[in-house]
Amino acid sequence: MVDDKARTWRKPPFIASPVVRLLLALGVLGYLGLALATLPFDWERISDGLPRAARIFGGGFPPSFERFELLLTGFKESFQIALLATLLGVALSIPFAVMAARNIAPRPVYLVGRAVIIVSRSFHPVIVAILFVKAVGFGPLAGILTLTLYSIGFVGKLLAEEIEEIDWGQVEAMRSVGAGFMATLLYAVFPQILPRQLGLSMYQLDSNLRASAVVGIVGAGGIGGTLMNAFGRYDYDFAFAILLVIIAVILVSEGISGWVRRRLW
Amino acid sequence: MLEISQLVKRYGHDDPVLKGLDLCVEGNSVVSIVGASGAGKSTLLRCINRLIEPTSGSIRLNGQELSSLKGAPLRQARRRIGMVFQGFNLIDRLTVMENVLAGRLGYVGFFQAWRRRFPPEDIERAFHLMERVGIAQYANKRADELSGGERQRVGVVRALMQEPDILLADEPTASLDPVTSEQIMKLMRALASELSLPVLINIHNVAQARAYTERIVGLRHGRMIFDGTPERFDAAALEEIYGGIEAPDETAVPSVAEGGR
Amino acid sequence: MVATPTERRVWQRYSRRERWTRFVLLLLVVAVLSWAARDVDIFWPWVWDAPAQIYSLADRMWPPDPRRLGEIVEALVETVHIATLATFSTIFVALPIAYLAAQNTTPNRACLWFARFVLVASRSVNTIIWALLFVAIFGPGVLAGILAIMCRSIGFVGKLMGEAIEEIDRRPVEAMEAVGASRPKVILYAVVPQVVPAFFAVIILRWDINIRESTVLGLVGAGGIGVILQGAIDTFAWPTVATILCGIVILVLLGEVLTGWLRSRVL
């Protein structure tokens, strides 16, 4: 270690092998290049964009609240969709969560429960909304069904994980007194997951309200439809008014839901 | 030479933490500052390199007034003042070498700092100092893999990398076990004489202050109430500095009873 | 002894008040829900018909039609490209904003509030709505999609990174200030190393979310698999729709597996 030559020091690289390092760098650069090259950019249309943006934002300011009635109707419907979907979704998520909990469900039932939850989580609510609109027609019914499925996926997954982590001693105690499956669920499982379920419901109400603003874009009722119409008719000042109110409502609902959840836990 | 005169530090409208302190440190003496928690030791050290803004008073290092500096001149002054911290204040996720070289950050440009391209003489100095304190074999280890004593050695080397005119140490041994803390004190004293550096050490452990330093300064409630050699630091001085402070709830108890403990 | 009944009465009254609050809350929830159920604009006969309709739609989808598989796979790859490029470019905008939005690094109050406003605005507007806006500006295509995903991700990444910066250990910062390092160097040595793990976790998480989000961009014309899906739905090519849906599930699951693997490797 002790020699007279001036010693040098380099920071040891994060990836030790220089070959892997080079390949990784080339890979990232190559990917970026490939992705940019294969994506169909319509440059002419894009270059028109800035003046168009100016026109849109120019037309959007100041936001117009003239058609306040329409705005109010749209929001009322969004609230109704969110409320009903949360009620249905939270109620239905309980059986699916029980099915998808490894520790209490038999293996085949567990697989079915997991599959339902995985599939309903894979699809963005907007895709589900389109399908429901095609199946049951335009309007809030499609929205409610969509968000119910969305809630089952999200609440069901977290609830199933919660059930998998319960204190098993209480279940054994119920079984040892000779309780049946339903009685065990009622007395040993549900009391343990109830607080969590209430918190999740509040959270889900908040995210359903957010989602209900967008499912309307594909015709599933609520403020999203109003927004889509305003955009379609180049009614930018009304569209911006809707956007502002959506932001305000989401902030308020996030605040309330956070406050309630803090009180619950 | 460090000259402090009439140093006052006050937070808001509370009673000042430092109440007009005068202190002069010359040559390569090792000075320890003792006092109960809240006596203002840590505030005093941090006022010197301006991690805390003094309210009023003057601090001069080798003739340069520090208390009025701002921006780049302040940073230039800071790089001549090394500091060792109680909690080591290392960057855990970086290697020991990077932590040590961080002591040169006041001297190198941003790009050099970013690419870790420090001048060869800095790297040589780093290896030399790390060998001196016995941590050179850890150069490429992450700082959080080291033991407490080794981490504090990294802290000391980082401060010495600055080529400081003075070394400040804020309770450098308070987070260490007794044996390691003795080693660190010995090391600091040896380095001070090797590099002919004045050293200011805040310390809780009075026995260590007596054993390893040449001069003891006692603070109480922001005032200097003792300044002298370890030989003169007797029971009376100890009582004056610590008496009745450690347990504020017992202030009603006569101080004689406190002294009897 | 005389005081005991009074105390008990007080205690009972409190308990009664609590019960009363719960009862009113429950009543309120039931009232709101029944208002929502009665007032919502639903044609009830359709509701009873819904299961049959959904079954009939599912029946029309079965079996999936693999004839346009090549095209679908291409569109899925395009979807991944959109998500990846958008996540990648988000980094360059979100990090400076996170820096401004963290209380311990922001230069001044004005920057702090500006950055917080940007984050809130970005997070509150859904990706689809951002896409709608960018399609109106730049026309249909992947650029609108990339920008839309970016605009939504900035808020997400920026908020979480801002919180990560606020939670760093202050001591290394103090040490770097004490050696006389300038602001950029303090950040480089004392802040950046501490937030690197959080950065990778957040980016990987957002990439996973962005893959899901980019599957719907095409429905408003912003590129990806959604364009084909919309086309297939409009032409009632239900077996093709089924194939696309299967493709999306597989893509999302693959994404989940990959992000899980990355997380275990990097963190």
Side-chain angles (χ1 to χ4, degrees), chain A residues 1-12, chain B residues 95 97-98 101 116-117 123-124 127-128 131 140:
Chain A
M1 205 58 198
V2 187
D3 52 332
D4 290 351
K5 274 187 294 177
R7 279 161 290 187
T8 56
W9 175 84
R10 286 265 78 98
K11 183 181 168 59
Chain B
T95 60
M97 188 53 142
E98 282 168 298
L101 288 173
R116 315 292 198 253
R117 305 254 156 150
I123 288 167
E124 184 57 40
F127 272 121
H128 176 74
E131 273 156 17
N140 283 336

Side-chain angles (χ1 to χ4, degrees), chain A residues 64-76 223 226 238 241-242 245:
Chain A
S64 143
F65 287 92
E66 264 172 43
R67 270 169 293 163
F68 195 67
E69 294 286 303
L70 208 57
L71 192 96
L72 218 58
T73 322
F75 267 108
K76 195 183 75 177
I223 190 70
T226 323
F238 186 44
I242 297 175
V245 180

Side-chain angles (χ1 to χ4, degrees), chain B residues 239-251:
Chain B
E239 160 64 20
E240 213 184 332
I241 293 168
Y242 285 98
I245 296 182
E246 293 294 64
D249 293 343
E250 297 173 38
T251 39

